Amino acid sequence: MSARSLRVFWWTLIVFVPVMAIFSGIYAYQAVARYGDDVSFASCPAVIAYPQEGPCVAALQQLLNADAPHAGIYHDGIFGPQTLAATRQFQSGHGLPASGRADAGTIQLLGRLAPAPRPVPVAAGLMTVALTGVVVLGLITARRRRERGAVAWPAAPAQCVGGP
């Protein structure tokens, strides 16, 4: 391999690895934001209502987003007016009393309607490859610098200026 093609390869790798790391990070974030992680109400109170806060409310908001008309509720963990309205709308749309309080019946119905959480193996694989590439590139660069420091470069030959 010529020196020029080796330089092109390294510069391509230097540009490619960080770009892949950035895009795989964005993909992982979007996948988790879209599909969320596992929603469980095992340690939650029996009724989730206004003005509670915490992970139980965030799980409720995530399940409300799974039902199409409620898409767009921010998962901030605060049972505010938007979550209250979405809960009432969900309850009235599914034949439950529209109290705005997420009781056991509401949570059970939401759990049945919500899609199962999906793992994000592609994003994890891309992140692993990108980070491995960065580490390998760093190790190779460090080795090359160490080798260059150990080798004494010969002085450039003197050029003749002028003539006889």
Side-chain angles (χ1 to χ4, degrees):
M1 192 179 261
S2 71
R4 183 175 186 277
S5 61
L6 191 60
R7 265 184 280 155
V8 169
F9 168 76
W10 283 113
W11 278 109
T12 304
L13 192 63
I14 288 169
V15 170
F16 178 73
V17 169
V19 167
M20 281 302 296
I22 290 168
F23 281 119
S24 60
I26 291 170
Y27 174 79
Y29 171 77
Q30 289 175 346
V32 169
R34 174 157 166 68
Y35 301 116
D37 36 20
D38 194 14
V39 175
S40 173
F41 290 95
S43 63
C44 292
V47 176
I48 302 170
Y50 183 81
Q52 288 178 330
E53 295 182 9
C56 295
V57 176
L60 173 67
Q61 290 168 334
Q62 183 177 348
L63 288 176
L64 285 170
N65 272 342
D67 196 36
H70 308 294
I73 298 173
Y74 185 65
H75 304 176
D76 58 359
I78 301 171
F79 200 116
Q82 185 181 16
T83 306
L84 180 64
T87 305
R88 284 181 178 156
Q89 185 178 4
F90 174 82
Q91 289 170 332
S92 65
H94 287 58
L96 298 170
S99 63
R101 299 167 48 120
D103 56 2
T106 303
I107 291 173
Q108 184 180 15
L109 184 59
L110 277 168
R112 279 191 272 136
L113 296 175
R118 295 191 234 172
V120 192
V122 174
L126 288 174
M127 287 296 287
T128 303
V129 168
L131 293 175
T132 303
V134 168
V135 169
V136 168
L137 182 61
L139 290 173
I140 291 173
T141 304
R143 189 179 112 215
R144 293 180 85 200
R145 286 185 179 170
R146 211 175 30 245
E147 288 174 355
R148 285 184 185 159
V151 176
W153 293 96
Q159 293 184 350
C160 296
V161 180

